[in-house]
Structure formats: structure tokens, C-alpha cells
Amino acid sequence: MAQKVLLFCDPGIDDSLAIIYALLNPAIQLVGIVTSYGNVNQEQATQNVAYLLELAKRDNVVLIGGAKSPLSGEFTPFYPEIHGEEGLGPIRPPEMIKEELLNFDTVFNLIEEYGPELLIVDVGRMTSLAIAFNLAGPEIMNTVQGFYLMGGAFLVPGNVTAGAEANFYGDPLAAEIVTTKVERGVIYPLNVTNDAIVTPTIIDEIVATENNPFQPLMKAIFDYYYEAYQKLVPGIQGSPLHDVLTLFAITNPQAFKYIEKKVFIGLTEETLRGVSIADFRPRAEEEPEEQTVAIALELDYQEFIADFINVMTNKLPIIE
Ligand code: RIB
Ligand code: CA
């Protein structure tokens, strides 16, 4: 049976490719998508998701309105130079918001409906998920199967500041609430997502199959994202698909090595904001009562790339 997933996201190019990956993967059943600010504003993120669902002819994935700003209420910058003005590189999605953008309490209805069959995956700023924890409390939230979180950078450079990754930096307080309240939580940080490199050659091979309606879009948004990454990381041969890797982990947990740790997140000054820290000293053992999460630290790249090509060349699955 396909894994039921409630996805929190902020599309964004790698978020969009992650949604496409999920829609093309018969082993994943998206039951809902919560759209929040992050790479673009929340309204644009919603429109982008509606466009992807329309391309897939999927009207059985509910669309839920998430946060428009971090918990602090401050403005955070968007990233048009990486994701494009509208979040889909050079593509402007048609003005076609799905009629029903459901209220946030739909999150709790889905948790009640699916309980331990539901996996919550967050590949954006964690504001909406933190709000869900604050509203419902950990007892209800932790009735789900678990939580996959894309964020953080442990003992490696950040991608927004020297030490911080974008999702944790965008709302560090939310990231702290989520990482300290989740049970069965797994973090996919830059340590592994930076390795999820997809090259233009691979995209060209996928697109040449003409197997599904996403492929022209895939090519356009990937090329934009790759051009941006070439400016960011001189000499890079492809682009890291952070959010796709987090979705890949759902059906391929064996492709990673994990370590269980308590996580701390910098909340204050700019240099520490969003920085993720865990105690990696060999002598350090977690106290049994400490709240820990699993952190993915190593990736089997060949498994990732083979699965990525396989899924992205699928025909659209038929989901009842
Ligand atoms: O740091 C990578 C994350 O930030 C991804 O979720 C990507 O979409 C960007 O916003
Ligand atoms: Ca994202």
C-alpha cells in the first residue's frame, strides 16, 4: 500500500520537483499539501502547487493554507535569484488557484483520519508545523507515523549564512519547536541533501522519454536552478535537489546512515541564527530522557539517482 503523506512546502524549484516526484511515485500517496511562505510568498506557493496538481489531474489532494510569515512576524526575504520571481524559474503558472484552499484545521482532520498511517514531511520553513504543534499539542501531533524534516547543517557549512541552512534560518524558533517536540522525527540536513546532485544530462535523458506531462516543466525549472547554482558554487556539475531527497527517503530509508541526537538551534544573533548543533563527541551519550531525532548524515548516491530517474520517467499513476 502506498505511504500516505501530508506535505508542508514552499515551492520553489526543488519543492516543485519534490511534488512532481511524489505525484509520479505510485508508492507515495499525497493526501494533502500545506503551502507556506519561504522561497516565495504563501499565495504564490499555493498557486504553484495548484498548477502542479492540475498538470497531474489530481483533485484528490487537499490544499491547505499555511503560514505567511515566521513566528516572529518579521519579513523574511524570498529567493528569486534561485527559484525565479514566481518560484518556478522562468515559468509563470496560469492564474488558476484551486477553488478550495482549505483552512488550517484540515491538518488536524487528516491526522485524525489517518493517524499512524500518515507521515508528515516538511521541506520548507517550519512555521506552519510549529503552529500545528502549538495548537494541537504534541500528544495529538505525535499520533502520526513520524516526521521527515528537510533542514539544518551539522558540522558543515550552511547555505544562507556560514552556519545556517535556509529552512532553519527562515524561522529558527519554529525549527526549534518542531525538533524538540516531534517523536519519530528524522532530519535530512545539507550533509546529505547537498549530495543529491542531479546533472543537466540526467534531466535531458528523463525529458527525452516524454512519458509524463511534467517533463517540459522539469527541464525549464531545472535549467534555471542549475544556472543559479553555478553562480553560487563555482565548478558544480549539477544542482542539489534538497527537497526531492527528503521525499526519496520515504521509500528508501536504507539509502542513509543515521545518528540519533538531541538537536539545538541558534535563536539569537545573526551569526548563530538557524545554526543547528548536536553533540557529536564520541564520549557523548544521549540521556535516556532526552528528546532526540534521527539525523541523516550519509547518502548512497547511486541508489538516489537510479530511483530519481526511474520515478521521473514514470507515467502518471492512476490513484482512485
Ligand atoms: O536549504 C534548502 C532548502 O531551502 C530547501 O527546502 C529549498 O527549497 C530552500 O528553500
Ligand atoms: Ca523547500
Side-chain angles (χ1 to χ4, degrees):
M1 211 171 50
Q3 173 66 58
K4 293 181 177 59
V5 172
L6 172 60
L7 180 69
F8 289 64
C9 61
D10 60 333
I13 291 179
D14 62 328
D15 300 73
S16 297
L17 289 167
I19 293 168
I20 293 171
Y21 172 93
L23 291 170
L24 287 174
N25 194 334
I28 294 176
Q29 185 193 344
L30 278 178
V31 298
I33 300 183
V34 182
T35 53
S36 304
Y37 78 96
N39 293 318
V40 289
N41 66 43
Q42 189 265 343
E43 290 82 358
Q44 188 63 56
T46 304
Q47 203 161 334
N48 294 347
V49 174
Y51 178 46
L52 297 174
L53 293 177
E54 174 70 21
L55 283 176
K57 303 261 174 291
R58 285 284 295 276
D59 55 10
N60 55 357
V61 182
V62 297
L63 204 43
I64 302 163
K68 297 189 174 186
S69 65
L71 293 176
S72 63
E74 71 198 313
F75 172 79
T76 50
F78 305 128
Y79 294 94
E81 65 283 11
I82 300 176
H83 296 275
E85 288 297 333
E86 276 89 22
L88 292 175
I91 307 287
R92 172 167 293 193
E95 307 260 330
M96 48 177 297
I97 296 281
K98 200 174 174 182
E99 264 171 38
E100 253 191 321
L101 179 63
L102 299 180
N103 284 337
F104 193 67
D105 63 355
T106 309
V107 167
F108 309 121
N109 298 339
L110 291 173
I111 290 173
E112 194 178 343
E113 183 176 351
Y114 294 116
E117 288 180 16
L118 185 67
L119 183 69
I120 292 185
V121 180
D122 196 331
V123 293
R125 305 342 178 217
M126 266 143 231
T127 317
S128 303
L129 190 51
I131 290 171
F133 268 92
N134 283 354
L135 283 172
E139 301 76 21
I140 287 179
M141 293 302 291
N142 284 321
T143 56
V144 302
Q145 190 183 111
F147 298 83
Y148 283 11
L149 312 169
M150 192 282 124
F154 294 86
L155 307 174
V156 297
N159 61 359
V160 168
T161 65
E165 178 279 333
N167 287 340
F168 282 12
Y169 178 88
D171 192 341
L173 180 56
E176 194 204 50
I177 290 170
V178 171
T179 55
T180 55
K181 293 205 182 333
V182 286
E183 290 172 14
R184 298 172 297 285
V186 189
I187 296 182
Y188 294 89
L190 294 182
N191 303 64
V192 285
T193 67
N194 269 340
D195 291 345
I197 295 277
V198 171
T199 64
T201 313
I202 290 171
I203 292 294
D204 287 345
E205 280 170 20
I206 291 170
V207 169
T209 64
E210 296 184 8
N211 275 353
N212 61 63
F214 290 120
Q215 288 172 336
L217 177 68
M218 259 184 229
K219 165 91 180 132
I221 63 179
F222 177 85
D223 285 351
Y224 188 96
Y225 190 64
Y226 178 46
E227 210 177 303
Y229 260 93
Q230 283 175 302
K231 288 182 198 140
L232 287 173
V233 186
I236 199 165
Q237 297 298 306
S239 301
L241 300 188
H242 308 281
D243 296 347
V244 177
L245 187 76
T246 310
L247 274 287
F248 157 82
I250 296 171
T251 48
N252 300 276
Q254 78 295 337
F256 300 85
K257 283 199 180 130
Y258 303 90
I259 187 162
E260 195 76 29
K261 290 283 170 194
K262 179 166 177 56
V263 168
F264 302 87
I265 293 169
L267 297 177
T268 51
E269 314 150 24
E270 179 63 12
T271 42
L272 289 181
R273 178 186 166 132
V275 171
S276 45
I277 300 165
D279 191 342
F280 290 101
R281 289 174 295 177
R283 65 186 165 81
E285 280 187 14
E286 306 305 324
E287 296 296 325
E289 69 272 15
E290 274 196 322
Q291 194 279 347
T292 61
V293 289
I295 305 171
L297 287 181
E298 281 179 47
L299 164 70
D300 182 331
Y301 177 74
Q302 293 310 328
E303 277 198 61
F304 166 67
I305 210 66
D307 175 83
F308 179 77
I309 294 169
N310 187 34
V311 171
M312 295 309 238
T313 51
N314 273 345
K315 295 193 187 312
L316 273 179
I318 296 158
I319 308 235
E320 299 303 323

